[in-house]
Amino acid sequence: MALSFLDKERTVAAPGYNRWMIPPAALCIHLCIGQAYAFSVFNLPMTKLLGITHSAPGDWRLTDLGWIFSLGIFFLGVSAALSGRWVEEGGPRRAMFTAALCWAGGFFLSAVGVYIHNIWVIYLGYGVLGGFGLGIGYISPVSTLIKWFPDRPGMATGMAIMGFGGGAFIASPLSVWLMARFSTPMHVGVAETFIVLGIVYFFFMMVGAAIVRIPAPGWQPEGYVPPAVPKRLVTERDVYVYRALRTPQFWLIWWVLCLNVTAGIGVLGQASAMSQEMFPGQVTVTAAAGFVGLMSLFNMGGRFFWASVSDFIGRKNTYFIFFILGIILYSTVPHAGRVGSVSLFVLCFCIIISMYGGGFSTVPAYLKDMFGTRYVGAIHGLLLTAWSMAGIFGPVLVNYIRQYNVTHGVAKAQAYNVTMYVMAVLLIVGLICNFFVKAVHERHHMRALEADAEIDAAPVFGGR
Amino acid sequence: MANFNRTDQSAGAHNGIKLVLAWGFVGIPLAWGVIETCINALKLFH
């Protein structure tokens, strides 16, 4: 078969294969799909597709365009949840190849949508098809990395998920540069940019699919000795993917992730406006753009830093730090506004955003500790629905509370204070959820015969 | 034995080259993006 190179059996590493080849393979995927965070660079040009220099009647509004990103994130969660087991059982190469097809296909379809000026085609292209590429791509390297790095699972997944945060750094200037190259006095150049990005991303992701390998059964890193006495919150046994849904641990971690992301994502989207409104006259539009850039650096760095730290202090303790420090920092932000300290405000948000990123990158290792390695990718996929939920909940919370305050006569500089306290309360709830996470009861652990029966009975996305 | 060591060494060198290429492939664009973002972020302090 022409596509037999995608088979899981064909991706088993030969003896002597260097495991440090796996993080670049994972980064090839995550750096590409991380473009999603930079999609906003297309928003303004796409409101001028007909008018070119200004929005003409018939041009799309920003509110119409906002749905493209929202749909993408929504279908990220949906596809990660639906395809987790298929990804796990088919191996990383098949998943990466599929993600590349969906992601690049989403760009090509969106280019058609721009060309015929039909936003529904873009919703279908970038939102649905691209969203599937996002979801499948996001989870595709996770369990492979954990299997290659049993000694440092947090650091390994942190490296890949850092790529998702860093993808926007490449996509944003690249997209602006491409649009400038393709634009003419009669044409904005968005469609051509989509086509070029689709080609580049497909090539990049295929390199990742080509170099990825899974370790041979029973492989261990040289010199690695598994702990003789397993840690209290780290299991050596596996839990079947759908069985995990029946454990309180899954839902507690679901809320831990959801609340951590809700708190971060809400301010991430509003950072520019918030900094200018809280410090009128002190923070200019240009400085606010710099602030957003600085936050995205901390978002990316936090993904690697916190996940690596979790290998030493444990996942539960890492989340305790996120929540306790987060509560203190969110409560400090209104004080920073009152005393007019921009540097305190910037410091608070940089740390908050590093913990937002850290929440994403630490969670795969948390799941591995709870549910074992075998289905960690699939369970992670199901957990990402928490992200979809937070993606809707966080920005809505920030926007509506601010709007309510402004409508009721609160000065813009103080309009975010209540939001900050609400975020702190959300983190208190997250802290409580994290506190109740205990080791999974052994009745949920897989036994050989039971596992086979359950696997045979369960449906799998895309067939076997 | 000497032959075996030579094969081992050349495999090691080959692995090393692949590793540099793979990391360069993802590291160079990422570094470029980070530098661009740092330049933008510096505007905050002006």
Side-chain angles (χ1 to χ4, degrees):
Chain A
M1 288 288 285
L3 293 178
S4 63
F5 81 102
L6 300 175
D7 293 346
K8 196 174 181 178
E9 297 71 35
R10 295 278 297 271
T11 55
V12 178
Y17 183 81
N18 192 320
R19 65 175 173 161
W20 288 96
M21 288 291 286
I22 304 302
L27 279 167
C28 281
I29 305 298
H30 273 244
L31 283 173
C32 292
I33 59 175
Q35 183 277 344
Y37 278 139
F39 190 79
S40 59
V41 298
F42 292 110
N43 282 349
L44 220 50
M46 282 167 77
T47 59
K48 299 173 189 169
L49 290 173
L50 301 177
I52 313 296
T53 53
H54 60 281
S55 287
D59 257 321
W60 296 326
R61 290 168 304 170
L62 272 176
T63 44
D64 301 326
L65 295 166
W67 279 103
I68 301 170
F69 176 75
S70 300
L71 278 170
I73 295 296
F74 176 76
F75 279 99
L76 180 156
V78 169
S79 60
L82 285 177
S83 66
R85 195 177 145 214
W86 175 81
V87 168
E88 210 57 49
E89 292 178 354
R93 186 176 289 165
R94 187 177 71 172
M96 289 175 173
F97 176 70
T98 310
L101 283 181
C102 290
W103 188 234
F107 274 101
F108 297 147
L109 203 52
S110 299
V112 174
V114 171
Y115 189 71
I116 62 173
H117 205 259
N118 185 332
I119 199 157
W120 289 97
V121 177
I122 302 180
Y123 289 160
L124 185 67
Y126 193 93
V128 182
L129 190 58
F132 267 78
L134 279 172
I136 297 171
Y138 194 92
I139 60 171
S140 62
V142 167
S143 72
T144 306
L145 282 161
I146 287 176
K147 284 167 192 158
W148 277 109
F149 291 87
D151 45 344
R152 302 286 300 277
M155 181 210 68
T157 52
M159 263 191 279
I161 294 172
M162 175 189 77
F164 193 80
F169 294 165
I170 302 168
S172 185
L174 179 64
S175 304
V176 171
W177 182 76
L178 284 171
M179 279 191 283
R181 299 284 299 176
F182 289 121
S183 68
T184 64
M186 303 300 292
H187 184 67
V188 179
V190 174
E192 293 84 349
T193 303
F194 279 167
I195 291 170
V196 172
L197 287 179
I199 293 167
V200 170
Y201 286 145
F202 183 76
F203 171 70
F204 221 81
M205 290 169 87
M206 285 309 294
V207 171
I211 60 177
V212 75
R213 296 285 186 281
I214 54 171
W219 177 87
Q220 297 276 15
E222 217 174 289
Y224 171 67
V225 183
V229 182
K231 289 178 187 163
R232 199 163 46 88
L233 279 177
V234 182
T235 183
E236 297 291 307
R237 306 279 300 277
D238 296 311
V239 177
Y240 181 58
V241 51
Y242 298 122
R243 185 91 184 194
L245 288 177
R246 289 187 242 157
T247 63
Q249 285 81 0
F250 177 85
W251 294 107
L252 285 168
I253 297 175
W254 193 95
W255 278 109
V256 162
L257 182 69
C258 185
L259 292 165
N260 189 55
V261 175
T262 300
I265 210 166
V267 293
L268 196 63
Q270 288 298 319
S272 172
M274 196 190 299
S275 60
Q276 291 173 71
E277 288 185 346
M278 282 185 77
F279 301 96
Q282 279 180 277
V283 177
T284 61
V285 178
T286 315
F291 174 53
V292 173
L294 194 66
M295 278 177 59
S296 45
L297 282 172
F298 275 81
N299 180 12
M300 186 186 83
R303 288 165 192 251
F304 180 68
F305 174 77
W306 289 111
S308 302
V309 166
S310 77
D311 284 333
F312 297 100
I313 64 169
R315 322 306 162 195
K316 194 172 171 174
N317 289 337
T318 307
Y319 275 96
F320 272 139
I321 293 177
F322 292 166
F323 290 125
I324 294 168
L325 200 54
I327 292 162
I328 296 167
L329 293 170
Y330 272 113
S331 308
T332 308
V333 170
H335 171 72
R338 268 195 299 274
V339 299
S341 173
V342 179
S343 45
L344 181 63
F345 172 86
V346 170
L347 180 73
C348 286
F349 274 114
C350 285
I351 299 172
I352 285 171
I353 289 305
S354 83
M355 297 191 296
Y356 161 80
F360 280 118
S361 58
T362 309
V363 91
Y366 206 172
L367 294 174
K368 175 250 164 204
D369 290 353
M370 288 289 134
F371 304 109
T373 308
R374 186 162 171 186
Y375 283 101
V376 66
I379 298 168
H380 185 219
L382 290 168
L383 195 85
L384 290 183
T385 49
W387 183 3
S388 299
M389 175 74 100
I392 299 165
F393 199 51
V396 166
L397 207 62
V398 172
N399 292 336
Y400 278 83
I401 296 174
R402 178 199 166 274
Q403 196 54 48
Y404 180 86
N405 280 326
V406 171
T407 317
H408 286 79
V410 178
K412 279 186 177 175
Q414 278 100 47
Y416 294 97
N417 290 3
V418 177
T419 313
M420 296 302 117
Y421 294 129
V422 170
M423 295 301 172
V425 171
L426 290 181
L427 294 182
I428 292 171
V429 179
L431 182 76
I432 295 166
C433 291
N434 192 47
F435 175 78
F436 283 111
V437 175
K438 306 277 184 254
V440 172
H441 194 280
E442 60 180 36
R443 74 170 184 274
H444 295 296
H445 292 154
M446 285 173 88
R447 291 172 194 87
L449 286 173
E450 182 192 73
D452 290 342
E454 253 181 314
I455 290 164
D456 287 341
V460 60
F461 170 77
R464 291 219 175 94
Chain B
M1 188 68 184
N3 224 352
F4 179 78
N5 279 345
R6 254 201 307 277
T7 318
D8 221 29
Q9 274 170 5
S10 81
H14 188 61
N15 261 343
I17 293 166
K18 280 204 282 191
L19 213 55
V20 170
L21 286 175
W23 277 99
F25 189 69
V26 291
I28 292 168
L30 183 60
W32 172 72
V34 169
I35 291 165
E36 288 284 320
T37 311
C38 284
I39 293 168
N40 275 335
L42 281 176
K43 289 171 190 161
L44 176 65
F45 304 104
H46 284 169

